[in-house]
Amino acid sequence: MTDKPSLRDYIDRYAAGEIPRDEALATIAAWDFEEEWFDPAHTAPTHQDNTLAVVNQAWGLGRLTDADIEVIRPILKRRGF
C-alpha cells in the first residue's frame, strides 16, 4: 500500500457532491497515476487505487459522467496517457 491520496476516495467524494466539478475534474486529470500491474487473481481494479483503470471503473459505475470524461480525456491525452 502507498501513502498517496486515494483516487477512488476522491472520485467518491466528488460523486457525493463534496467537491466542486471544475476542481474535481482538474485534479483527477492531473492525478499522479501509478503504473498498472496485472494480477490474474484480480479482475477489477480494486487492488490498485491510483490508476487510469480506477477512472474507467468510476465512469462505468456512474460516479463520473460522460461529460466528465469528455473534460478529463483531452487533458490526459496531452499528458501522454
Side-chain angles (χ1 to χ4, degrees):
M1 201 56 142
T2 175
D3 59 348
K4 290 183 180 180
S6 166
L7 175 59
R8 188 176 284 110
D9 178 57
Y10 188 85
I11 292 171
D12 287 347
R13 289 178 49 223
Y14 163 63
E18 296 175 21
I19 302 169
R21 183 175 189 265
D22 291 342
E23 175 186 335
L25 300 184
T27 299
I28 293 166
W31 203 270
D32 182 22
F33 294 105
E34 297 173 354
E35 183 176 335
E36 288 186 59
W37 45 270
F38 177 72
D39 181 348
H42 296 278
T43 57
T46 58
H47 55 291
Q48 274 186 284
D49 191 53
N50 294 326
T51 65
L52 292 173
V54 171
V55 174
N56 192 53
Q57 180 188 46
W59 175 57
L61 293 172
R63 291 184 179 106
L64 293 172
T65 66
D66 290 345
D68 293 339
I69 295 298
E70 287 179 21
V71 171
I72 294 169
R73 183 175 290 140
I75 299 168
L76 293 177
K77 282 184 125 178
R78 284 193 300 271
R79 291 183 58 201
F81 290 106

